[in-house]
């Protein structure tokens, strides 16, 4: 009986849209991914995942799964549609400006799942002995982005790993948080690109502690600052800074806020040419309402002289202002100056490069553009309290009911694909790390093929190597190699006239030299061609092909 041979081939529409495409490094990455059939966009902000793109996304998802499973998180899949009742209890139904609310305004497409997972735990937890409960999922999320752009970086739908933890107290919750920090570090190390962890504002998700995870790159939409003295790293919304020296600020702007109980008017003064960070104002007035921004509405609450006597006014002066600055007129007539408290020398605007670090007040800040790829939050009882997620806990000879302490942790899987594509592309096209590439090896045959080549595919199958054969008819060998390079596949295997000697063309970046150990210990023919100190081609006997490929891929 003839032995069956299964050859894994490139996708049917592989490189179908590139014949008239003139590639240059300036081509936007989202256009390149579309041209190469990784993805397609039926409408702006929407995405179809095609075979190559889906393969890369699944590989990243498996890296995430491995590391989350190692710290005992369990995978589940929550509904992508959520009822508004829980969102109203947490206060997010009214404040979520980018929600996809479905017809009837009763349901929404989930942008994140704090409400759903908290309801699940609240209805199923029976004993504190079951804690901690640790869950994650990898699935689509939805955001009603008004101006979708940059392909996978900012769209109406995206693939995210979102994880949630439930602990008995803050100490246990922080242990979990730190475990996740360790898992994230390993995930991003696995993906090969340099990354940074930055202190961040908690934003709409809320909580008391958060960190963003970034790739530093000039195309990023975010700004991350680091201090050359204390080493602190934070995003622009969290970076406090002081001026290097006192300067004259002629024009001053003011923005008005009020506290949640409407008892205090807060006046934030800052240089007109700088950007106010409301969260810095909130640092000084914790019960500040940053969601109400209508200036006329806020001032109207403090316009009645009869009620003003029972209210307070706080004036906050940015650290760059002084008594010589030109302040705008105060818009409210007041009776008693004792109602006013003035806080000065408070940094409340976005930091700029080379200003003084607000953490150590000594070092200088250095800024970098960055692409956010992950975010971790310690939530405390922000969601568990309003949603009744609690458990009876023994305290001495009795029990008391305690709200669970939560954390949530996101990774933008689709953003990682776009980010690595952007950062690693070069003059030849995309250039994936082996762990992200849709496949690791493209096999091309010169001429009309050779019956002996079947032996190569058997070797590759037996070794479990992730390859695809480019068997497209009427496509020349040179074009096949160039298109494999354009796709970013780490190695091209060329089966030609010198068989059983096989040519390996190196495309992927090298992150180490462990392949040389395999090379030095070889018992088969293997020659290497170098250019500018880099190995660019390898000529290997068929009997050692699998071992050579495994050694080379180990470094990519």
């Amino acid at each position: 009986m003839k032995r069956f041979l299964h050859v894994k081939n490139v996708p049917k529409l592989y490189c179908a849209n590139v014949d008239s495409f003139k590639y240059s490094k300036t081509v936007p990455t989202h256009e390149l991914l579309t041209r190469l059939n990784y993805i397609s966009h039926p409408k702006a902000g929407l995405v179809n995942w095609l075979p190559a793109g889906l393969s890369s996304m699944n590989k990243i998802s498996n890296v995430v799964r491995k590391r989350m499973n190692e710290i005992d998180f369990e995978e589940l899949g929550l509904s992508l549609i959520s009822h508004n009742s829980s969102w109203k209890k947490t206060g997010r139904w009214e404040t979520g400006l980018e929600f996809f609310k479905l017809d009837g305004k009763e349901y929404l497409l989930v942008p994140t799942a704090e409400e759903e997972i908290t309801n699940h735990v609240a209805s199923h937890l029976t004993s504190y002995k079951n804690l901690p409960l640790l869950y994650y999922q990898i699935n689509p999320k939805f955001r009603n982005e008004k101006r979708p752009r940059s392909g996978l970086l900012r769209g109406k739908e995206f693939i995210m790993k979102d994880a949630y933890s439930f602990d008995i107290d803050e100490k246990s919750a922080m242990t979990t948080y730190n475990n996740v920090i360790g898992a994230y570090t390993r995930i991003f190390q696995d993906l090969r690109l340099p990354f940074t962890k930055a202190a961040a504002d908690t934003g709409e998700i809320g909580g008391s502690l958060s960190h963003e995870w970034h790739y530093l790159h000039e195309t990023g939409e975010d700004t991350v600052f680091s201090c050359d003295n204390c080493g602190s790293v934070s995003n622009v919304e969290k970076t406090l800074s002081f001026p290097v020296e006192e300067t004259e600020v002629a024009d001053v702007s003011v923005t008005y806020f009020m506290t949640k109980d409407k008892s205090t008017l807060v006046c934030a003064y800052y240089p007109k040419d700088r950007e106010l960070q409301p969260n810095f104002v909130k640092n000084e007035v914790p019960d500040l309402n940053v969601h109400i921004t209508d200036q006329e509405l806020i001032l109207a609450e403090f316009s009645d002289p009869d009620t003003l006597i029972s209210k307070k006014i706080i004036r906050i002066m940015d650290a760059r202002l002084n008594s010589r600055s030109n302040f705008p007129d105060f818009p409210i007539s007041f009776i008693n100056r004792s109602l006013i408290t003035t806080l000065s020398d408070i940094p409340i605007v976005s930091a700029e490069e080379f200003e003084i670090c607000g953490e150590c007040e000594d070092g200088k800040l250095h800024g970098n553009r960055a692409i956010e790829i992950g975010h971790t939050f310690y939530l405390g009882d922000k969601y568990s309290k309003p949603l009744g997620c609690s458990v009876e806990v023994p305290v001495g000879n009795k029990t008391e009911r305690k709200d669970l302490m939560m954390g949530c942790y996101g990774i933008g899987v689709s953003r990682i694909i776009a980010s690595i594509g952007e950062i690693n592309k070069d003059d030849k096209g995309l250039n994936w790390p082996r762990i992200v590439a849709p496949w690791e090896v493209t096999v091309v045959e010169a001429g009309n093929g050779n019956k002996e080549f079947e032996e190569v595919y058997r070797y590759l199958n037996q070794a479990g190597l992730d390859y695809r054969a480019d068997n497209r008819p009427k496509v020349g060998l040179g074009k096949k190699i160039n298109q494999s390079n354009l796709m970013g596949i780490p190695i091209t295997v060329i089966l030609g006239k010198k068989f059983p000697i096989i040519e390996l063309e190196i495309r992927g970046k090298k992150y180490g030299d462990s392949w040389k150990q395999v090379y030095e210990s070889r018992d088969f023919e293997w020659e290497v061609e170098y250019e500018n100190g880099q190995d660019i081609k390898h000529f290997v006997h068929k009997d050692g092909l699998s071992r050579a490929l495994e050694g080379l891929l180990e470094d990519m």
Side-chain angles (χ1 to χ4, degrees):
M1 180 182 293
K2 187 176 180 179
R3 189 175 174 186
F4 174 73
L5 173 64
H6 173 239
V7 176
K8 293 180 283 187
N9 294 314
V10 295
K12 286 289 186 180
L13 297 179
Y14 173 71
C15 289
N17 299 318
V18 300
D19 281 344
S20 61
F21 175 54
K22 294 186 182 298
Y23 171 74
S24 76
K25 195 176 178 181
T26 60
V27 172
T29 300
H30 63 87
E31 181 182 338
L32 183 57
L33 289 169
T34 303
R35 282 281 194 162
L36 294 176
N37 282 343
Y38 279 87
I39 56 175
S40 68
H41 295 285
K43 290 288 183 181
L46 306 182
V47 61
N48 295 325
W49 290 92
L50 306 181
L54 187 62
S55 176
S56 289
M57 184 173 67
N58 287 339
K59 286 189 172 185
I60 294 173
S61 297
N62 287 336
V63 171
V64 172
R65 284 190 177 94
K66 175 185 175 183
R67 297 306 187 182
M68 296 304 293
N69 292 345
E70 285 175 349
I71 57 171
D72 295 327
F73 274 69
E74 299 176 299
E75 185 173 8
L76 46 62
L78 300 172
S79 173
L80 301 182
I81 298 177
S82 183
H83 191 265
N84 67 11
S85 56
S86 298
W87 297 77
K88 287 182 176 180
K89 290 178 182 178
T90 60
R92 291 211 288 176
W93 183 255
E94 292 76 18
T95 60
L97 301 179
E98 295 183 338
F99 287 172
F100 271 113
K101 296 181 179 179
L102 304 182
D103 285 346
K105 305 294 185 182
E106 193 175 352
Y107 293 89
L108 79 160
L109 297 178
V110 294
T112 182
E114 285 78 14
E115 281 79 1
E116 285 300 318
I117 192 66
T118 305
N119 282 335
H120 167 75
V121 171
S123 61
H124 289 82
L125 180 64
T126 57
S127 170
Y128 72 94
K129 294 180 181 180
N130 296 131
L131 298 173
L133 289 175
L134 313 171
Y135 297 111
Y136 75 94
Q137 58 179 350
I138 303 174
N139 57 20
K141 299 294 184 297
F142 305 92
R143 174 178 57 209
N144 193 10
E145 179 67 51
K146 302 302 181 185
R147 292 181 296 278
R149 58 191 183 278
S150 302
L152 299 175
L153 289 176
R154 186 165 294 278
K156 293 179 179 290
E157 61 174 316
F158 49 97
I159 305 299
M160 186 170 80
K161 185 282 299 177
D162 49 320
Y164 307 91
S165 61
F166 297 82
D167 282 277
I168 193 66
D169 53 31
E170 182 171 335
K171 181 180 179 181
S172 300
M174 290 310 301
T175 297
T176 298
Y177 187 91
N178 289 326
N179 287 341
V180 176
I181 293 291
Y184 271 41
T185 299
R186 291 185 287 275
I187 287 169
F188 296 124
Q189 287 173 340
D190 289 343
L191 297 176
R192 294 292 201 183
L193 266 65
F195 62 93
T196 189
K197 174 171 68 79
D201 182 69
T202 56
E204 290 293 327
I205 298 293
S208 59
L209 172 68
S210 81
H211 290 92
E212 289 175 351
W213 301 75
H214 293 271
Y215 290 140
L216 300 181
H217 197 259
E218 64 269 13
T219 61
E221 293 183 338
D222 297 314
T223 300
V224 171
F225 286 98
S226 59
C227 174
D228 61 15
N229 179 60
C230 67
S232 63
V233 181
S234 55
N235 74 6
V236 68
E237 296 174 347
K238 195 75 173 178
T239 305
L240 297 171
S241 66
F242 291 97
V244 176
E245 57 186 23
E246 183 175 329
T247 57
E248 294 296 326
V249 177
D251 296 318
V252 178
S253 291
V254 60
T255 298
Y256 301 106
F257 302 92
M258 59 182 170
T259 52
K260 294 175 182 177
D261 62 4
K262 301 182 180 181
S263 67
T264 304
L265 174 68
V266 179
C267 316
Y269 295 92
Y270 54 98
K272 195 171 186 177
D273 61 350
R274 298 292 290 268
E275 179 186 7
L276 177 70
Q277 283 290 348
N279 290 315
F280 295 168
V281 182
K282 190 176 175 66
N283 290 343
E284 306 301 321
V285 186
D287 60 339
L288 194 76
N289 189 333
V290 295
H291 299 294
I292 297 179
T293 58
D294 187 320
Q295 301 292 280
E296 291 185 5
L297 177 65
I298 293 170
L299 292 175
E301 289 288 338
F302 298 85
S303 62
D304 186 348
D306 294 333
T307 61
L308 189 59
I309 193 67
S310 64
K311 296 180 184 281
K312 295 180 180 179
I313 298 169
I314 298 177
R315 302 170 77 220
I316 298 180
M317 308 292 180
D318 182 71
R320 294 146 189 85
L321 306 180
N322 55 48
S323 59
R324 298 183 299 279
S325 301
N326 184 23
F327 289 86
D329 293 335
F330 197 68
I332 293 174
S333 299
F334 52 91
I335 300 171
N336 192 339
R337 299 186 70 88
S338 65
L339 297 174
I340 301 177
T341 300
T342 299
L343 305 177
S344 58
D345 201 31
I346 307 294
I348 59 173
V349 297
S350 298
E352 290 185 354
E353 190 154 24
F354 306 127
E355 289 190 316
I356 303 300
C357 170
E359 290 291 322
C360 65
E361 300 187 20
D362 189 18
K364 288 188 177 181
L365 295 170
H366 300 271
N368 289 283
R369 302 298 293 174
I371 305 171
E372 183 186 350
I373 48 174
H375 209 145
T376 55
F377 299 85
Y378 171 60
L379 301 173
D381 61 0
K382 177 177 173 60
Y383 294 89
S384 58
K385 192 177 188 68
L387 296 176
C389 187
S390 59
V391 69
E392 292 286 342
V393 179
V395 179
N397 296 324
K398 58 181 182 178
T399 63
E400 65 179 45
R401 183 159 286 274
K402 294 182 64 175
D403 297 317
L404 301 188
M405 298 292 105
M406 290 178 57
C408 71
Y409 320 92
I411 287 180
V413 175
S414 48
R415 285 182 69 89
I416 288 175
I417 293 176
S419 301
I420 295 179
E422 173 67 30
I423 294 168
N424 269 11
K425 70 179 180 182
D426 56 24
D427 293 338
K428 292 183 179 180
L430 297 169
N431 194 350
W432 301 112
R434 172 241 191 125
I435 201 167
V436 176
W439 57 89
E440 298 170 357
V441 176
T442 303
V443 182
V444 299
E445 300 179 12
N448 296 320
N450 184 326
K451 197 68 176 175
E452 290 182 298
F453 293 166
E454 291 185 2
E455 188 177 5
V456 172
Y457 297 110
R458 296 192 192 280
Y459 286 151
L460 296 175
N461 288 342
Q462 289 168 5
L465 284 161
D466 184 14
Y467 75 91
R468 298 293 185 276
D470 185 352
N471 60 358
R472 293 174 297 164
K474 299 181 181 179
V475 179
L477 177 65
K479 180 178 284 190
K480 289 179 178 180
I481 295 171
N482 289 337
Q483 290 181 349
S484 180
N485 290 337
L486 185 62
M487 287 285 291
I489 307 305
I491 299 178
T492 303
V493 168
I494 303 166
L495 305 179
K497 295 179 180 179
K498 294 182 179 179
F499 190 82
I501 300 301
I502 299 170
E503 180 181 341
L504 314 182
E505 184 165 307
I506 303 302
R507 171 77 177 115
K509 289 184 178 181
K510 291 286 185 59
Y511 298 91
D513 287 319
S514 62
W515 70 271
K516 292 181 178 179
Q517 297 177 11
V518 182
Y519 176 76
E520 294 295 336
S521 63
R522 69 192 184 281
D523 57 359
F524 53 90
E525 188 175 345
W526 182 353
E527 295 182 2
V528 184
E529 182 179 315
Y530 291 88
E531 184 177 285
N532 298 323
Q534 298 294 320
D535 57 306
I536 58 169
K537 293 183 179 181
H538 294 248
F539 300 89
V540 180
H541 191 276
K542 66 178 177 62
D543 293 340
L545 176 63
S546 298
R547 280 176 286 169
L549 285 173
E550 289 169 347
L552 290 164
L553 288 167
E554 186 69 26
D555 295 326
M556 295 182 181

